[in-house]
Amino acid sequence: MDPAAPGDPASVVVNYYSSLPGDIDGAWEVLSDRARDESGGYDEYRSFWSGIREVRATNVAVRRDTVTADIEFTTASGRTSRESYRFEVDRDDDGQVRIERAQRSSDSI
């Protein structure tokens, strides 16, 4: 898979975070049912993102269908945190690329 192609695992993760927090509903659509369940459901997901002013993904790397990235969150109050995540990305039965799982690997800052 071409790393720059739309729908490749890295692009899915980068595009997901670049849509947040402005398009919570659109970002929710990128998550698989499993990832939605693990997020605590829609209301909890929406509540979390409503407290975030800005988010960005950096140091994005891909190995097969696994993406690692550092995610930097800035809260509405201006507090910044950076967390390392590991994402499992796969195509669903309809051919849509979805984030199957997001797992925090460490916290810093």
Side-chain angles (χ1 to χ4, degrees):
M1 199 180 282
D2 180 343
D8 80 280
S11 291
V12 169
V13 170
V14 170
N15 291 338
Y16 170 78
Y17 282 105
S18 69
S19 71
L20 288 163
D23 186 9
I24 293 170
D25 291 342
W28 179 255
E29 293 301 316
V30 176
L31 302 178
S32 71
D33 289 341
R34 176 184 178 185
R36 290 174 181 178
D37 289 345
E38 290 179 355
S39 76
Y42 182 76
D43 290 340
E44 197 168 312
Y45 180 82
R46 190 169 207 30
S47 176
F48 172 81
W49 285 109
S50 68
I52 301 297
R53 181 173 64 202
E54 184 179 353
V55 63
R56 59 188 198 128
T58 59
N59 300 321
V60 180
V62 180
R63 184 174 183 150
R64 296 190 194 114
D65 289 336
T66 300
V67 178
T68 56
D70 293 332
I71 309 301
E72 185 174 299
F73 300 93
T74 303
T75 65
S77 65
R79 182 178 169 271
T80 299
S81 66
R82 187 175 303 118
E83 303 170 350
S84 296
Y85 275 84
R86 184 175 155 263
F87 303 89
E88 294 173 23
V89 178
D90 203 359
R91 290 189 188 278
D92 66 14
D93 294 338
D94 296 328
Q96 297 296 313
V97 179
R98 304 262 184 227
I99 295 174
E100 293 290 325
R101 187 164 199 212
Q103 183 175 13
R104 184 172 47 211
S105 53
S106 67
D107 293 343
S108 60
I109 296 181

